Amino acid sequence: MSKLTPYLLVAPLIAFIAIFTYVPIVSSVDLSFRSWNFMSPEMPFVGFSNYARLFAWDDFWDSLKVTTIFAVISVPIRLVLALAIASYLKRETLSSRVLRGAMFLPTITSTVSIAVVFSWVFSTDYGLANGLLTAMGLGKVPWLQDPSVTLLVLIFINTWKQLGYDVIIYIAGLQAVPQELYDAAAMDGGRRFQVFRRVTVPLIMPTTYFLLVISVIEAFQIFTIINVMTRGGPAGATDMLVHLLYRTGFVLFDIGTGSALAIILFVLLIGLALVKARVLGAKVHYEA
Amino acid sequence: MKLRQNATTALALVAGLLFLSPVLYSIWMSFQTAQSYYRGGFEFSLGNYGTAVTKFNFARYLVNSIIVSGMVTLVGLAVSTTAAFAFARFDFKGRDLLFGITVATLMIPSHITLIPNYLTLARVGLLDTYAGLILPAISNGFAAFFLRQYIRGIPRALDEAAYMDGARPLQVLWRVIVPISRPAIFSMGLYIFLGEWNNYIWPLVAVGKEDLYTLQLGLARLYSVNPGEGLIDWPLVMAASTITILPVLFGFFLVERHLVRGITMGAVK
């Protein structure tokens, strides 16, 4: 067997990864120090001025704020709902399998389709949401036109889409908790809620950390529903970071500033990913 | 007892349908005429699907999505399986470094590569081509990582017996490792296919020519050509949306278990 064999076997994958992931990271750094608009023949070196422009740009801070608000509101809601639902659905009965399947479907359904369907649900005149409100004798809400509610609508849709994933992960975590621990707690006379709070919640903590980090990372990468439903509006209310990156690079054609934003996003997300890696390493502390 | 069980199952079914009701209703809506939708009432028609296919080219988008997702899956599985085999079974200089580079791609957010990959493809003239849609998506180490873990669980004695019989490494991979790893490869194939089927931001950036649109792109454009209250032909948009999700729905019912296993393994293990 030739010494070259393993290198030939890994070469194709490594080539793809090098060309389309690692080289682009290096060129992003390079582009973030240059001024370019796709067209001009030169791309002069401009030092940190793209970063300076970004930090002086209201849109950037607004976008960071909107993204943070999105994460701060949506992540706790997802975790609490998912854990509650998972504790009901963790048993392997037909009914819980049916419900798990139904909840899981949106996570694998096209985000563009979901965005289109919910554009209808929340459309002012013909939508399901206002239809229900009118039927209850309440007034219509301009869900996608009122800056104070549109972000909440997107949070709702994203929660609906991702909840099934959180539930499945929580169920896997809950099923790994040894049954004896519940039995012991019940024997000690623990009431159901107390057992949940004192036994389940602490033991499931590693899964919670994992989902926490995953969903924060996800919040920082949301793009599709924004691009389809709101284009960042109304009045910048949903202009989250990746959407701003797309806008800067491919609408305003400001490659330098777009790349600077990409680098900032990269550093943020790598930081979060490293937290995730540490959490994963410490995950199953209750296994003997 | 039996009765109670049936009752909870029925309740679960209702809750599930309620949860999915926006999507289910959109499918229902796609089978009615725009006139009957806006007037109220229901008039069955396949006309929206006809319009989506003839006037808006959705048959072409469907074919494009199948070509792109299919190629990403096939090429992705091929390069990932061979690399996983090498990582799991060979001792070679630089192995840990190369494996580290592969696994690290899981942490790298794809958005940082958006602008540079666009420029790379522009430079070699691959924007607005199938290759431009397919190639960047293969740069993902997850399948190789996952399959390497799986292959390490296969007894080495099986490889050694085959080498003893005079097999060469690629034959061992093809005749011994691949057949045993079929469930893992299948799960990964689904995972890659789904991810690519639903991919939106890269086709949005890399494709301008209408006849290379994928379903996601076609649907988003169809919806955005007539924005504004009341002007939207909702039943037509929902027919296009149904064409976009239906293959995934069918696939889901066929392979639910594999899919859930693939996705949870990726997250938990």
Side-chain angles (χ1 to χ4, degrees), chain A residues 7 21-22 110 120 160 227, chain B residues 19 37 93 101 139 200 216:
Chain A
Y7 295 102
T21 299
Y22 285 98
S110 138
W120 166 75
W160 177 84
N227 182 262
Chain B
F19 185 78
Y37 171 70
K93 220 171 149 202
I101 285 174
S139 167
Y200 176 64
Q216 313 301 330

Side-chain angles (χ1 to χ4, degrees), chain B residues 68-78 188-190 192-194 196:
Chain B
V68 171
S69 306
M71 285 303 288
V72 169
T73 307
L74 286 180
V75 181
L77 281 180
M188 274 307 99
L190 283 173
I192 299 174
F193 189 90
L194 256 181
E196 190 51 36

Side-chain angles (χ1 to χ4, degrees), chain B residues 172-208:
Chain B
V172 173
L173 173 63
W174 189 245
R175 300 248 169 85
V176 179
I177 300 293
V178 168
I180 298 175
S181 313
R182 203 171 286 150
I185 295 175
F186 187 66
S187 287
M188 274 307 99
L190 283 173
Y191 182 86
I192 299 174
F193 189 90
L194 256 181
E196 190 51 36
W197 186 269
N198 293 333
N199 189 0
Y200 176 64
I201 193 166
W202 180 247
L204 178 69
V205 166
V207 160

Side-chain angles (χ1 to χ4, degrees), chain A residues 34-44:
Chain A
R34 291 175 186 279
S35 170
W36 197 44
N37 62 2
F38 279 131
M39 300 300 193
S40 63
E42 287 127 53
M43 28 168 109

